[in-house]
Amino acid sequence: MTLVCACHLALSWLGLQVPFFNEHISLIWPATGFTIAVIWRLGYSYSIAIAASVIILTLFQGLPLASSIALGLGNALGPALAVRCFAAKKLRYQLDNARDLIWFLLFSIGLGTLITSVNGASQLWISGYVSDALWFSTMLAWWFGDSFGVLVFGIPLLCFQRSQWQLLSGWRFWTVLSCSALSALLVFWLPDVADWSPTLLFVPLLMLLWTVLRQGLWAASVNVAVITSLAVIGTIQGRGIFADPEPMQALFSISSYILVMSLFSYLLAFLQQSGARTRDHINSALEGSGLGIWQLDLQQNSVQFFGQAEMMLGYQSAELGKNFDSWADLLHPDDAIAARTALVRHLKGEDPLYQVEFRLKHKLGHWLWVLSQGRVIERDAQGRASRMVGSNTDISALKQADLAVSQLKDFYATVLSKVVTGVWVGDARHQLIYVNLGLSRLMSMAEPELLEKNILTDFPEQTLQHFRPFYYRAMHGLTPVRFEALPIQTPGGRQLYLSGWLVPLLKDGRFDGMIGTVDDMTQHRQYEQQILQLAFVDQLTGLPNRAALQDKAREMLAGALQQQQQLAVYHIDLDHFQHINDSMGHDTGDALLKQVADRLKMLATTQDLLGRPGGDEFILIRPSRTENDVLQTAHQLILLMAEAFAVEERMLQVSPSIGIALFPQHGLSFAELQRMADIALYAAKASGRNRYSLYNPQMSESLQDRLQLEHGMRSGLYAGQFSLHYQPVQSLADEQIISVEALLRWQHPQLGFVSPARFIPLAEHSGFIVELGEWVLQQALKQLARWRQQGLDLRVAVNISTVQLRHPDFLRQLQQALTQHGVPPALLELELTESVLADQVEQSRVLLQQIRSLGVSLALDDFGTGYSSLAYLKSFPLDKLKIDRSFVRDLLTDPDDRAIVHSVVVLGHSLGLRVVAEGVELAGQLHQLRQLDVDDVQGYLLSKPLPAEELENWLRRVHSLGLPHSQPDPL
């Protein structure tokens, strides 16, 4: 900023050294040109340095402070506004084109200097330095001085670039500049020159023109500055060719001359630059295109090269010379005749264009393929060609590519003859014009037999019906198309399935033929059929599986809806099939399922849909007009299973439970119908199995109740709704209470007391019994530990579900619970149901032995109500048999029940087991049981099940009062 201010002061001082006009105005003011150049190139912020310089200068000249500030602002504002206009017009400060120069002169001289001159003259008038009469001439002189500074000094400063330093260092620049100065002194400084010829004015102009042509715009602008400075100074002093007694007339004359000389010089410089740029662009384009341009003078036998003509052969520019023979010597001998023939035919007018390919020798010795093209552009008076212009293009790479393509074609022809994939080519008339060996072998036909066949007519019609749509799609869409599973029969009768691609050939954007590939996918199709068989067919029975059932049922339902037909969906489930699977093995179960499927197939018709969704379940969908038809089919299904099945020399009996739903009454989708049939199946099983049940809405309500209970159990366990009650067991030998049985109770907040007979089966069915049973075991052991701390010596019996017992973690959980609560295993008794003896016998026996080895007692609950108990009783490590309450209830009135109880007691004692009678409610029953030698009794005669605290009170009272013998406890 300081440097700019100092430079502006120096240039202003230089301007003050020029003789004044009207005693106040310098007609050469280089500082204005400097100001515009600085603001444009460096930025608007430098206007501050310019204003400061003007203020300092004017204060030294004696102007008032206010006028000095006004002059400083005006001299900065005018050029700044001009620069703002430059930016709006997007001018380049290099001024390297006529447009930029013209707009630069208009804005800088027409706007910028006009503002500074009006402001300057006004400030001098305000300060009293200029009268009213001299204001306009003062303003005009100020404008001339500023414009002179812009034109003479501004342009050189703007155009100057780093490359100009090289020009400054050369002697030619200074020589020309000295000659320009001498010409200006001659014309504008010598006395009496005004009497000489006006042609002297062209001497400086000629020097400028020579400078423009030889040294360019910037050198010309410097010479303009020197010439105009000398011309103005000389004219002001009354010398030179423009000397005139009237200063204004002299000023006008010198201004006109300077303007014309400057503009003419700059215009010529721009025209030269434009021509040079055009030539550079053309040469760059030629070099970039790789073209070599030549001009042949047939009369002089000379040739001139442009662009890459010589460089593509490894020669420098003009290295080959202009003699045509030196060019012709580079021609390959084998191509000379063809090149000469093409040239002669064109010169004679037989060919409109000279065009030929030949080889030229590179400077390094190898040969280049060249495409040479040209035409005659000038003929003499006799019509003979005198001048030709043309181009050479290096096509060596294309020739190599052609050779590679030719080699590649031979390679591919060999490959296509060897590949297994069939390949064929058809023309635009759909005739086969090429087939490879792979297609010939695939079709079992010789190549000549296939060639000339029409692709769309000369093959079996069954094949063409599948093939034509793919072919037409590829032909009309002009895009590759893939076809799959195309059936075709070879002449030998072999059935094939083909796949492949159809790729259309194009010529000028139109269909011109077809390329096809063919692969044998016969084996692949067979694999697909096998996969479909695995995916949609039950491998055990050959019936449709769940996925196939869903698809076929959807179609069957849609057809029935269209025909307004009723369908019946039968959900068939085999009763107690799991027992057979567990006791006899899965192979026996699978064999039984096959026979069941075979019987069902005997009943099914072609209109029916029979499938096995999984396990021991089957689905039958059958059209049925009336409800009687529906029930008759269900009855047939029951009878169909009534006869025993012979499996591996065994006769097995299995019964079905059947749930039935009707379409469309019970649902419109297969999933909905299957769900309704499942609800009906559940009702059939709940009714005793080996029967059928037709869905009705009440079943859904029952199912809803069941679901409500299942959900309530899970939430109720965590909400504290479950509790344990304990019922005492008395030894008849000493009438002592020897143990208590832990019984689960559920108090629901809305339903009230829920019977265990209602929720225990649901818990077992849903699997929740595992979690619920673990809670019972934990609570019972926790209470037992508390009683031991209180001094009560009792054994606690806990009922264990078969589902809970089968859980893989049961044994570990049992050991962990005993350890956690510090209870001796001998004080724990597990009560099991008879199903344990029949299901997975060997696994159950091993598990019970492991439990017994811990010291835990085992009791068989509800003995006599199950099946096959006696066959396995001796194999299990049991401690007790508990006679079911059903035999005790009629003990006093039914001799059969007394006989059964007696037999159980004898059996139990013979096996070393204690026998316990449940459900003792009458003193007579107790007396009879004593006579039958029963060991222990349990029932309401002693006490109903009680909470732990009430049981403790009852035990204390019983021990103090003795045991009741005839009346049940009032509690």
Side-chain angles (χ1 to χ4, degrees), residues 103 164 269 336 379 508 650 662 753 840:
W103 281 111
Q164 311 301 339
R379 295 181 181 272
D508 299 329
R650 298 180 184 179
L662 299 180
F753 174 75
Q840 302 180 14

Side-chain angles (χ1 to χ4, degrees), residues 735-777:
E735 297 187 346
Q736 293 296 312
I737 303 301
I738 60 174
S739 66
V740 292
E741 180 181 0
L743 299 172
L744 184 61
R745 296 292 183 261
W746 181 16
Q747 187 67 31
H748 193 278
Q750 284 82 35
L751 302 177
F753 174 75
V754 183
S755 171
R758 187 178 176 190
F759 70 81
I760 291 295
L762 291 179
E764 290 182 334
H765 183 267
S766 64
F768 182 64
I769 193 65
V770 175
E771 186 176 352
L772 188 60
E774 183 181 359
W775 182 86
V776 170
L777 183 61

Side-chain angles (χ1 to χ4, degrees), residues 93-315:
Y93 62 77
Q94 292 85 352
L95 301 178
D96 51 2
N97 59 74
R99 171 188 173 275
D100 289 356
L101 178 64
I102 292 171
W103 281 111
F104 167 75
L105 294 176
L106 286 175
F107 287 133
S108 57
I109 296 177
L111 176 63
T113 58
L114 183 62
I115 292 174
T116 59
S117 61
V118 170
N119 178 65
S122 299
Q123 295 305 321
L124 292 178
W125 174 75
I126 292 172
S127 301
Y129 290 99
V130 176
S131 63
D132 294 346
L134 296 178
W135 182 89
F136 180 76
S137 60
T138 302
M139 184 274 295
L140 189 62
W142 194 306
W143 174 82
F144 178 84
D146 284 353
S147 299
F148 183 90
V150 171
L151 190 64
V152 175
F153 295 98
I155 292 177
L157 290 174
L158 289 170
C159 294
F160 181 79
Q161 300 179 36
R162 292 182 179 179
S163 58
Q164 311 301 339
W165 288 110
Q166 184 177 2
L167 183 64
L168 289 172
S169 61
W171 60 270
R172 289 186 178 86
F173 171 79
W174 298 108
T175 301
V176 173
L177 187 61
S178 300
C179 293
S180 297
L182 290 175
S183 66
L185 291 173
L186 173 67
V187 176
F188 301 109
W189 276 77
L190 293 178
D192 302 326
V193 177
D195 299 332
W196 296 5
S197 174
T199 55
L200 288 175
L201 292 173
F202 286 97
V203 175
L205 184 59
L206 290 175
M207 293 302 303
L208 281 176
L209 295 180
W210 191 90
T211 305
V212 168
L213 295 175
R214 291 296 182 180
Q215 296 182 347
L217 175 63
W218 183 79
S221 66
V222 173
N223 280 268
V224 167
V226 171
I227 293 173
T228 53
S229 297
L230 294 174
V232 170
I233 294 173
T235 303
I236 291 174
Q237 293 181 355
R239 300 178 181 181
I241 199 168
F242 290 117
D244 194 289
E246 288 292 331
M248 292 298 293
Q249 181 63 36
L251 181 62
F252 176 77
S253 299
I254 192 65
S255 300
S256 301
Y257 176 76
I258 292 172
L259 180 63
V260 171
M261 179 184 64
S262 302
L263 292 179
F264 185 77
S265 301
Y266 293 149
L267 179 61
L268 181 61
F270 291 136
L271 290 176
Q272 184 194 30
Q273 288 180 352
S274 177
R277 279 197 296 270
T278 301
R279 286 194 302 272
D280 292 341
H281 292 164
I282 293 174
N283 288 333
S284 298
L286 290 175
E287 292 177 2
S289 67
L291 290 175
I293 306 300
W294 49 263
Q295 177 178 284
L296 176 61
D297 189 334
L298 296 170
Q299 294 179 348
Q300 300 293 330
N301 196 36
S302 63
V303 63
Q304 189 173 358
F305 300 110
F306 307 93
Q308 296 288 318
E310 294 173 289
M311 285 185 283
M312 72 172 59
L313 296 175
Y315 294 95

Side-chain angles (χ1 to χ4, degrees), residues 541-728:
T541 63
L543 295 174
N545 61 10
R546 184 181 299 275
L549 269 173
Q550 291 175 348
D551 290 342
K552 294 182 178 181
R554 203 177 295 118
E555 296 175 2
M556 195 171 181
L557 294 180
L561 188 64
Q562 188 175 9
Q563 299 173 13
Q564 297 184 349
Q565 187 180 38
Q566 177 179 269
L567 298 177
V569 178
Y570 300 87
H571 191 168
I572 307 164
D573 184 85
L574 303 182
D575 298 330
H576 300 299
F577 176 78
Q578 188 63 37
H579 296 318
I580 297 174
N581 238 2
D582 294 340
S583 59
M584 301 182 184
H586 288 280
D587 292 340
T588 301
D590 289 347
L592 176 60
L593 287 174
K594 287 182 183 179
Q595 293 195 30
V596 171
D598 292 339
R599 288 194 188 181
L600 292 174
K601 290 176 185 177
M602 294 169 56
L603 180 65
T605 67
T606 55
Q607 294 181 333
D608 299 339
L609 175 59
L610 176 64
R612 178 185 173 224
D616 59 345
E617 299 178 357
F618 295 87
I619 295 290
L620 174 64
I621 304 179
R622 164 172 284 187
S624 300
R625 288 180 295 178
T626 65
E627 185 174 328
N628 186 52
D629 293 340
V630 174
L631 300 180
Q632 183 178 358
T633 297
H635 185 66
Q636 289 175 346
L637 290 169
I638 296 290
L639 293 178
L640 194 65
M641 301 294 168
E643 184 180 351
F645 293 87
V647 180
E648 298 176 355
E649 301 180 354
R650 298 180 184 179
M651 299 304 293
L652 300 180
Q653 195 76 39
V654 64
S655 61
S657 293
I658 304 171
I660 310 168
L662 299 180
F663 171 86
Q665 296 93 315
H666 300 150
L668 296 177
S669 68
F670 177 63
E672 191 174 5
L673 289 168
Q674 193 175 15
R675 184 166 60 87
M676 300 307 172
D678 188 49
I679 294 173
L681 173 64
Y682 180 79
K685 285 183 174 292
S687 300
R689 305 179 188 272
N690 193 26
R691 61 192 63 208
Y692 57 83
S693 178
L694 179 62
Y695 172 79
N696 61 65
Q698 287 75 21
M699 293 179 181
S700 293
E701 295 177 5
S702 299
L703 179 62
Q704 185 65 29
D705 293 341
R706 172 189 170 190
L707 295 175
Q708 182 181 3
L709 282 178
E710 288 184 2
H711 175 72
M713 279 191 298
R714 297 180 184 275
S715 60
L717 180 61
Y718 301 108
Q721 298 173 13
F722 285 92
S723 63
L724 291 185
H725 286 201
Y726 300 90
Q727 188 173 36

